[in-house]
Structure formats: C-alpha cells, structure tokens
Amino acid sequence: MQYNPASRVAEEFINDEEIQATLRYADEHKSDRELIEKLIEQAAAFKGLSHREAAVLLACDQADLNEKIFATAKKVKEHIYGNRIVLFAPLYLSNYCVNTCTYCPYHAKNKHIVRKKLTQEQIEREVIALQDMGHKRLLLEAGEHPRYNPIEYILECIHTIYSIKHKNGAIRRVNINIAATTVENYRKLHEAGIGTYQLFQETYNKKEYELLHPKGPKSDYAYHTEAMDRAQEGGIDDVGLGVLFGLSLYRYDFVGLLMHAEHLEAVWSVGPHTISVPRICPADDVDPSTFSNAVPDDLFLKIVALIRLAVPYTGMIISTRESARVRGKCLEMGVSQISGGSRTSVGGYVIEEEKEENSAQFETSDRRTLDEVVKWLLDGGYLPSWCTACYRAGRTGDRFMSLAKTGEIATYCQANALMTLKEYCEDYARPATREAARHVIEAELPKIPHEKIRKASVIRLQKIEEGERDFRF
Ligand code: SF4
Ligand code: SF4
C-alpha cells in the first residue's frame, strides 16, 4: 500500500509504512535542537505541524525544549481561544451493543452490566434534569445494536431532545457519538440537525485494532476508519476524531490521528472540527492487561500540547474521565471544551439514581456538579461558555474554518460566551457562582474586539436580566 493522504482507502491515508518511517525519523531527530527550535517557531506562528514534524517534537528529549513546547502551546491556546471554555454533557441513550471491544464494559459478552435503553419519556426526564443544571449542548452516546438502537431510534431521540422546552431551558446543539454507519444514515443524522459527528478510532494500528475488536461490525478496520468520509458525503461537515490513548502504542496513535486530520483536509478541504483525548481507564469486565500501554500524566499533557500546536484551529475535548487536576492542566495546554456534572450511565441523571442500578461505561474521576465546575473555571480566570451559535447560524465546515483561521471568530465567541454565561447566572447559578461571574463578565466585556458587537452585547446583557433569552451573534 502506498501512502496517499488524499486516498479514500483507509490503509493508504493511514499508512503503516509511513507511520513506521515517521517514528524512525522522529527517533533520529529527537535531540536535533536546530530542527526542534525551527518547528516550535513554526507552531508559534499558528502554522500547524505535519504528522512528521509533530512526531519529532513528541520524541524530543531535551528538557528545556520540552518546556518551550508547553509554553508555546499555552500561547497558541490563549491567542486562538482566549480564556473561553465550552461546556457540554454526555447523554447515554442505550448500552445494548453487539460489539466485543475488549476495553469497554458494554461489550456484548458482559453479563454483569445492567442493559438499558431509554424510552422517549425517560429521555424527556433526563433532558429536563440536564436543562435544570444549565446545559445547552449534549453529546449523545449509544452502543451499536441494529435491533435495540437502530438509526430510527437515534433520530427519534434527537427529535425529542430538541423539542423539550422546560422553564428557560433548551438543548441547542446535539452532537452524536455512535457507531460507523452508511452515507444514507449520516444524511439522516444531518437532516435531523446534529452538530458534530464524533467517532473515535480507538487505535490506528490495524493489527492491534483487530485484536481489540474481535467480533461485530466494529471489527472491520477499513469501514470504521473511512467513516468520516462517509459522514462528509452525507452532508456532515463537522466531524470529531479521537483515539483512546493507552490502548496501543501512543506514538503510533498520535501520528495516525494527525494523518487522519491531514486526510480530511486533503479530501474535504476542512480538517476535524474537534479532537477528543480520552485515556483508557478501568471498567467492569475489562481485563487489566488491556492497560499495559497506559500513558502517564506528563506524557498525556505533552500529547495535548502537541495536538494544540499541530492543528491549532481544531477544538479539543476532555471528559470527566480525567481528574480535576489533569483537566486543569489540559485547559492551559490546549483543551477548549469540557464536560461537567457528567453521568456516564444510561439514565444516570434521574432514572438510575432512583433505582441505584449501575450501567456506567466508565468511572468519572471528576465528580463535581456543573455549578462547581463553572465556579472552578471562573476562579481560575476562565470564561465558561454554552455557545452554540455557529452551527445554528450555518457556520460549519469550511465556512467555520475560514473565520477561525482569520481570527474573526473570536469576536463571536467572546460575545456569545458572555451572553450564555449571563443566562446561566440568571437561571441556574448558586449565589457564589453568580457573584464570581458578575466580575468576569465585567472584565471580559471590553475584550470583545468589534465595537458594534461590543455595544450590542451591553444591550443584550441588560435584556437577559429583564428575562429575554437566546441571543447569539
Ligand atoms: Fe459497544 Fe462502543 Fe463499547 Fe465497543 S466501545 S463495546 S462499540 S459501546
Ligand atoms: Fe464555538 Fe462558534 Fe460559539 Fe465560537 S461562536 S464558541 S466557534 S459555536
């Protein structure tokens, strides 16, 4: 197989020989100070890094240059994303699954876990609970099961979620993380109004992938790896990549992930909208030997910093799998979206609490409520945001990326973050959070770069206080 980033064949755009050659090249240059300095400068100018360049920085064994990599990632993060952090929550719809992924407790052979699928009435209760916390963005998750979770079920759930209006609450953007599917089904998801379609590769190493997915539709490496191209064909132009760090060798997966981003850019002229960085963690009925490649915290942070440098305009997401401490560090290095107050079980926001049944996919390390996370962000100098404006204004795919690359998007992001934080304060925040937010809003308002939008924001903030909602730029 020949390496070709513009090919539609999985093993050509994620090419094993190219990855092996990249890793050899990185090893040969891991102490090449001149090259490493040059690459850091290139990244500091927001020019990104190729998979080969980023691999050299990952291999870099010079302590002072590694410090420089972290410092540069912080600068790039601040320049492009400011101090804004977008908040979302996962919603698990069903844990029925026909796959046998060895690292996931939902695998078909697990007989201990309670299997559940939410009815539309249960979804309504879960969504009301999420709205009452203040969430506006959801990420739907479901196992793969043609009988229990067909596409019609997912579409019905999306429709239900968008239709629920409780007090001032509303879910304004539904992102989806479901199994690889057909162009036709992606088109249906697009027509149902989803935001981003996420699908994690888990590992890009084909041999490892096949060992980790012995049976079920997900065992087809090519079908899984080519899914984002089918999603694009179906009209979904915001797609989210990710690998489960620690499953296979992190260097291989890091290079594969960036090659996948380059492939999307080469074929669809727009790279991934987001990259998620889940790290494997213990779970029910999962063999601990699966974790033999576990990635320690300092290395994980370096991976986050280098993704920030390699694809500066791609949002980065971290879940509550990680502790508050690691999440805090990741926010500095490049993460722009985090979940808050998450439950990783089916019915976890209302139903499960009542019955005390465990159907969780993984343990959450960060167990704070959304309001605690918001207060923590505010105290740390961040600006929490529930903004959903781009997707609702049709600023997706390359339309979004061109605004992001010229920096124009920052005006919208800043104003919308302030609008949504004000709404949160009026409707959901505890008094201490409200007070902290008041100071942050005052300090952040003058930072809206565009005068007209700044003035309009002042008026809209007042209107929110008077009871109006859902302003967006
Ligand atoms: Fe099923 Fe997804 Fe878990 Fe695999 S990772 S067993 S596909 S829910
Ligand atoms: Fe995201 Fe667009 Fe809102 Fe900025 S304006 S936070 S890019 S949705």
Side-chain angles (χ1 to χ4, degrees), residues 97 99-101 103-108 142-144 202 213 218 361:
C97 191
N99 287 308
T100 52
C101 314
Y103 49 84
C104 173
Y106 291 175
H107 68 77
E144 179 168 17
E202 321 298 7
H213 305 96
K218 194 169 170 181
Q361 190 185 29

Side-chain angles (χ1 to χ4, degrees), residues 91 210 302 348:
L91 176 59
E210 286 169 353
K302 190 171 182 191

Side-chain angles (χ1 to χ4, degrees), residues 81 84 86 137 173 273 337 385-392 395 400 404 409-417 473:
Y81 300 87
R84 298 174 294 276
V86 171
R137 285 176 165 245
R173 177 174 177 132
H273 191 67
Q337 289 188 32
S385 172
W386 290 260
C387 177
T388 54
C390 281
Y391 137 83
R392 296 166 80 210
R395 294 193 297 256
F400 165 78
I409 198 75
T411 292
Y412 300 111
C413 298
Q414 183 76 2
N416 289 326
F473 293 96

